[in-house]
Amino acid sequence: MRQVTPLTDGWILRHPDGTGAELPASVPGCVHTDLLAAGLIPDPFLGRNEAEVAWVGRRDWTYETDLPAGTGAHEQTDLVFDGLDTVAEILLDGRSLGRVRNMHRSYRFDVTGLSGRLAVRFASAYAEAEAVRGTVGERPGAYAEPYQYVRKMACSFGWDWGPTLVTAGIWRPVRLERWSTARIARVRPLVTVDGGTGRVELAVDVERTRVEAPLTVEAAVGGVRARAEIDGTHGTVRVEVPGARLWWPRGYGEQPLYDVELTLLHGEEALDVWRRRIGFRTLELDTSADAHGTGFTLVVNGERLFARGVNWIPDDVFPSRITRERYRRRLEQAAGAGVDLVRVWGGGIYESEDFYDACDELGLLVWQDFPFACAAYPEEQPLRGEVEAEARENVVRLMPHPSLVLWNGNNENLWGFRDWDWEPGLAGDSWGEGYYLGVLPRVVAESDPTRPYTAGSPWSGSWRHHPNDPAHGTHHSWEVWNRTDYADYRLAVPRFVAEFGWQAPPAYATLRRALPGEELAPDSPGMLHHQKADDGNGKLERGLARHFALPDGDFDRWHYLTQVNQARAVAAGIEHWRSHWPVCAGTVVWQLNDCWPVTSWAAIDGDGREKPLYHELRRLYADRLLTVRADGDGPVVAAVNQAAEDWHGSLRLRRMSVDGTVIGEAALVLAAGARTVAEVKVPPELIPVGPAEFLVADAWEPSRPDEAGTGGALRALHFPAPDRDIPYPRPEFEVALVPDGITVTARTLVRDLLLQADRLDPEARADRGLVTLLPGEEVTIGVRGWKTPDPETARRALYCVEPTR
């Protein structure tokens, strides 16, 4: 049987200062984390330390350890690296075993009979990128850093939400594998289901030391076993599982997973074993043309889905620090917000098995980008061969996961070619089209024909339409954030919104940790350093000014209002687009998470704290959503029902004044079939007139109790004027402590009340975000991690919209 020995201990990192100084090194890890552990660099996440450590990415570094001598009677010993970041030479006692230049691949070297001093010499990724650029010529990109010339996590070089921390190191596990006769080199599982029978076809490649040895493989799935012979170095074994239970996205059913075990045999001697988990489900991407353009609808097990998605970036700029537990925690947060699709964005990495395992278990669909983002990528060597090799390896590596439902060729590069002035400057030079429309779809078709492939995001399906045409395929909506008001999300109904979002700063406690000792202001030095977007603060300010009077010198008020604006902006888009299902078939919010403490579009900040947007997503992505849509001939209440059951209940409409007076009301019948949207036109006499009036829509379904146990209730509010024009009363409310939280009772209209729990204690968390109360209403906010509860402290941590005059 193959014997595996992890190589995790005894590594050192040689400092390139000419003295030969050495430091203890962690493997897996990277140079930055080793230097941090040794106290030789400051934490780049704090203050403006990022600039102080820029030199690290421009140096060469060497990792060393002793490679032990082989033991036992195995015929071959391989040195296996699951990930090297990025450009390195591997040497044993000074003799080169090979050179590598791709972070996204694994590597294997024959070290049979060898031992001695193992060294991995990393060259600066900058040096490699600049050398390749010198060979293939300049290519345009969204950022000045040369990330498109090296197969490395692009956001290592900085992004509009990320620091420039260009890493190097042994970022994934390394081990010795000792084996005899043969080993399993690759297993390509094709998993299908038809008529209740699950089918697993395992295409097996083996590597041999003895060509003449007869080999068989035995597969076991769900208690069913099958065998097949290996013909030379290839074989295929097929297993049928009667009565296979279907794997469903969360919210649509359960997620049964089946263990697969494939054993390589020489006679009855087990030589090697491959184990994974799979799920049975059918999958289709419907891109058929219709009266509205070209659709983009995921269909799982015959069920057409409105995808409730978030974009995922690497959860740490040093990805070797992301543990299995951290992946699980972050993805559980996503599931807790009602998310059912996670898009792994193309400026990051193919994530570890821990990420996809968690998605399999939680029922989170995965849209996987190939790692290309926001640049023209050369197609010449040495890059072309690396791209195909990494694609072939990772497609097969991730195939077992039922959560994986889509391969996507790139992020914004087809759009960039057409709209960002790339085409004239390229003058016919390669820019990546051959990857997205040639190499990558060929690799997916040959290796993983069970999953759909799309050439890019955004992409209209062909060059016959503009790449970002909202009527065709996927659409990125960034004009709104960059140039207009979030109300403009309501001007169009794209077929699938794969990116859109609005910025806000991180939680207050996150800022206090990241900017120690700084007097916080929107334009204080640390705040500006942790704002990476082009004119980010200007866009935040202009976005606020369209709705609120700008807080003059009051950082706490600015912080609260920018959080409110972020949640409202995303709500404006999702409510509108969900109400137009099935024309629009999905929204993927930019973004779920952050890789460090920063002002960004994230719902969860760099310290893992949930912004108000996160709690708003819980409402927006619930199976049932009530919203008021201002159509051309008057407002309409849309009841979005993504549940499997019909929604029958009552709808109460109230036209109210901000002083609490009910001007008019009506009780109507609400009926929305399963997976449909029902619309109820607001009677003319209930339409608010002027800035002092608003509409309240409450929907009840008595069979579904709400959190207070008083009968199911959903609410939508429609204020026809911006807050700056609304004559709000000065908010009055009472605060009382209750077990594990507080209760707030409103005496006036209280709009967008928010408890910033981290102001109570950095470890405290609230169970809800923004809530609007009518006079006499109350809400209980659960709080955990608050060590010394006190109502006055709670009152100081409560914020709400206040009158401007």
Side-chain angles (χ1 to χ4, degrees):
M1 180 67 80
R2 179 173 57 94
Q3 177 186 339
V4 176
T5 305
L7 296 180
T8 56
D9 299 327
W11 288 91
I12 61 142
L13 173 65
R14 291 207 177 273
H15 199 291
D17 58 2
T19 67
E22 56 187 57
L23 311 171
S26 295
V27 171
C30 74
V31 171
H32 287 83
T33 53
D34 289 332
L35 294 174
L36 269 171
L40 294 178
I41 60 171
D43 187 340
F45 286 12
L46 303 184
R48 290 177 283 173
N49 291 341
E50 174 198 353
E52 300 298 316
V53 302
W55 61 271
V56 176
R58 294 195 173 271
R59 300 287 184 91
D60 298 341
W61 300 88
T62 299
Y63 283 81
E64 292 183 8
T65 192
D66 289 322
L67 189 71
T71 58
H74 289 94
E75 296 170 347
Q76 182 156 329
T77 302
D78 293 338
L79 173 64
V80 183
F81 294 94
D82 284 341
L84 293 168
D85 177 16
T86 291
V87 183
E89 183 178 16
I90 296 86
L91 303 104
L92 189 60
D93 281 344
R95 182 171 71 88
S96 179
L97 299 178
R99 297 176 183 269
V100 302
R101 60 196 325 154
N102 193 328
M103 180 182 186
H104 305 302
R105 293 179 60 188
S106 63
Y107 297 95
R108 180 178 292 266
F109 302 97
D110 184 351
V111 292
T112 305
L114 303 178
S115 61
R117 193 64 173 171
L118 176 65
V120 184
R121 293 181 180 170
F122 288 96
S124 165
Y126 278 112
E128 168 75 3
E130 288 158 2
V132 172
R133 180 167 56 188
T135 299
V136 303
E138 291 280 350
R139 297 294 192 282
Y143 303 97
E145 298 280 311
Y147 56 92
Q148 67 266 53
Y149 303 101
V150 60
R151 295 309 296 152
K152 174 177 173 58
M153 184 173 85
C155 62
S156 287
F157 292 90
W159 221 258
D160 56 5
W161 38 256
T164 302
L165 294 167
V166 179
T167 51
I170 305 171
W171 78 290
R172 280 182 168 162
V174 55
R175 63 190 176 275
L176 287 176
E177 292 189 2
R178 299 183 175 93
W179 54 279
S180 298
T181 308
R183 70 172 187 89
I184 298 171
R186 189 180 82 152
V187 178
R188 188 171 63 89
L190 293 176
V191 181
T192 57
V193 60
D194 183 28
T197 298
R199 294 185 172 87
V200 185
E201 179 180 295
L202 301 165
V204 185
D205 296 338
V206 302
E207 182 182 357
R208 290 173 174 266
T209 61
R210 285 183 260 166
V211 175
E212 75 285 353
L215 301 174
T216 58
V217 284
E218 180 179 85
V221 184
V224 182
R225 293 181 177 273
R227 282 197 179 196
E229 293 184 357
I230 296 293
D231 182 9
T233 58
H234 306 285
T236 300
V237 59
R238 298 174 178 84
V239 183
E240 292 195 351
V241 181
R245 297 173 60 211
L246 294 179
W247 183 97
W248 287 93
R250 64 166 303 281
Y252 290 84
E254 297 180 348
Q255 294 79 44
L257 297 170
Y258 289 77
D259 291 323
V260 178
E261 183 174 281
L262 184 139
T263 305
L264 177 64
L265 299 163
H266 177 216
E268 293 303 312
E269 178 190 3
L271 302 178
D272 202 354
V273 177
W274 178 91
R275 296 183 180 91
R276 295 293 188 275
R277 289 187 308 172
I278 62 166
F280 294 104
R281 48 104 182 102
T282 65
L283 177 62
E284 178 189 353
L285 179 65
D286 184 356
T287 57
S288 56
D290 57 26
H292 304 280
T294 307
F296 194 92
T297 304
L298 284 164
V299 186
V300 179
N301 298 328
E303 189 75 62
R304 300 176 70 82
L305 311 182
F306 181 97
R308 294 169 276 189
V310 288
N311 281 276
W312 171 277
I313 67 170
D315 206 50
D316 196 318
V317 75
F318 305 131
S320 60
R321 297 199 298 201
I322 309 173
T323 62
R324 184 177 184 85
E325 293 72 26
R326 181 164 161 183
Y327 274 124
R328 180 78 188 199
R329 182 168 62 253
R330 198 69 70 241
L331 291 166
E332 284 179 342
Q333 287 176 298
V339 168
D340 60 21
L341 181 142
V342 179
R343 176 190 173 210
V344 181
W345 168 76
I349 56 177
Y350 308 93
E351 296 286 349
S352 82
E353 295 296 327
D354 298 331
F355 173 90
Y356 304 96
D357 286 346
C359 291
D360 291 343
E361 294 162 6
L362 294 168
L364 293 171
L365 303 175
V366 177
W367 160 332
Q368 178 69 53
D369 280 15
F370 286 97
F372 301 89
C374 301
Y377 282 77
E379 297 175 39
E380 291 79 14
Q381 299 293 5
L383 292 172
R384 189 178 185 88
E386 291 292 343
V387 165
E388 179 153 355
E390 81 177 48
R392 290 194 178 280
E393 176 178 339
N394 284 284
V395 167
V396 171
R397 176 174 74 89
L398 301 182
M399 280 176 66
H401 295 284
S403 57
L404 179 61
V405 295
L406 182 67
W407 292 106
N408 177 53
N410 74 89
N411 176 76
E412 299 189 342
N413 294 344
L414 296 159
W415 181 22
F417 177 75
R418 180 54 49 87
D419 267 8
W420 300 351
D421 295 325
W422 293 0
E423 191 171 0
L426 285 165
D429 285 345
S430 67
W431 57 275
E433 182 181 29
Y435 296 145
Y436 319 133
L437 298 178
V439 173
L440 297 176
R442 173 168 52 83
V443 168
V444 172
E446 292 171 358
S447 299
D448 187 13
T450 66
R451 287 183 179 86
Y453 170 87
T454 184
S457 185
W459 180 233
S460 59
S462 79
W463 287 115
R464 292 192 302 273
H465 306 290
H466 187 281
N468 200 30
D469 187 335
H472 300 277
T474 51
H475 176 69
H476 289 196
S477 179
W478 284 117
E479 281 297 297
V480 170
W481 157 253
N482 285 318
R483 293 178 177 84
T484 68
D485 179 43
Y486 62 70
D488 288 355
Y489 286 135
R490 304 185 182 107
L491 299 179
V493 183
R495 306 311 304 269
F496 192 105
V497 188
E499 280 191 21
F500 78 106
W502 205 269
Q503 272 202 347
Y508 182 79
T510 300
L511 288 173
R512 283 270 57 110
R513 187 191 70 81
L515 305 174
E518 179 165 311
E519 184 176 346
L520 296 177
D523 59 352
S524 61
M527 286 293 296
L528 290 177
H529 187 80
H530 289 249
Q531 164 62 279
K532 296 295 187 179
D534 181 36
D535 190 30
N537 272 17
K539 293 170 185 176
L540 281 175
E541 183 171 312
R542 290 188 291 276
L544 277 182
R546 295 181 180 104
H547 296 271
F548 299 99
L550 293 175
D552 186 15
D554 185 343
F555 176 80
D556 291 344
R557 200 80 201 148
W558 175 88
H559 181 264
Y560 160 75
L561 288 177
T562 52
Q563 299 269 3
V564 170
N565 234 30
Q566 181 187 39
R568 287 201 197 168
V570 171
I574 293 178
E575 289 186 12
H576 177 70
W577 296 322
R578 279 194 73 182
S579 76
H580 283 90
W581 161 260
V583 176
C584 180
T587 56
V588 189
V589 176
W590 188 270
Q591 65 218 62
L592 175 69
N593 57 327
D594 271 327
C595 64
W596 77 313
V598 64
T599 296
S600 85
W601 299 263
I604 301 169
D605 75 17
D607 281 5
R609 293 187 175 91
E610 297 156 350
K611 296 183 185 179
L613 171 59
Y614 173 85
H615 296 282
E616 187 69 353
L617 285 176
R618 292 172 60 192
R619 180 184 73 85
L620 297 167
Y621 277 165
D623 280 350
R624 288 174 174 164
L625 173 69
L626 200 68
T627 182
V628 178
R629 198 174 69 215
D631 286 356
D633 56 350
V636 169
V637 178
V640 181
N641 182 23
Q642 208 161 343
E645 305 86 18
D646 293 345
W647 182 6
H648 294 291
S650 60
L651 177 67
R652 180 189 183 192
L653 301 181
R654 283 177 285 173
R655 175 183 168 192
M656 295 188 66
S657 168
V658 293
D659 65 8
T661 303
V662 177
I663 301 168
E665 64 180 304
L668 305 171
V669 174
L670 176 67
R675 320 289 195 209
T676 67
V677 178
E679 297 179 356
V680 178
K681 190 172 178 58
V682 176
E685 65 273 15
L686 297 185
I687 298 174
V689 176
E693 296 182 7
F694 63 103
L695 178 70
V696 182
D698 289 308
W700 280 270
E701 186 182 16
S703 63
R704 288 177 173 268
D706 66 7
E707 293 175 355
T710 58
L714 288 178
R715 171 170 288 175
L717 300 170
H718 172 58
F719 289 82
D723 293 71
R724 67 188 182 192
D725 296 335
I726 299 175
Y728 288 116
R730 185 153 299 281
E732 297 178 7
F733 53 84
E734 297 172 2
V735 180
L737 293 180
V738 296
D740 299 319
I742 65 169
T743 293
V744 179
T745 304
R747 298 304 174 210
T748 64
L749 172 66
V750 178
R751 191 170 184 196
D752 283 332
L753 180 75
L754 175 67
L755 176 66
Q756 296 192 30
D758 58 293
R759 290 177 181 261
L760 306 173
D761 185 291
E763 300 305 314
R765 300 288 191 274
D767 66 357
R768 67 175 64 230
L770 301 168
V771 60
T772 293
L773 301 175
L774 304 180
E777 293 184 336
E778 70 175 31
V779 64
T780 297
I781 303 172
V783 184
R784 54 186 173 83
W786 187 12
K787 299 182 182 65
T788 55
D790 154 49
E792 284 309 308
T793 304
R795 180 175 283 276
R796 289 193 296 271
L798 285 165
Y799 290 77
C800 63
V801 174
E802 295 183 350
T804 58
R805 55 184 181 274

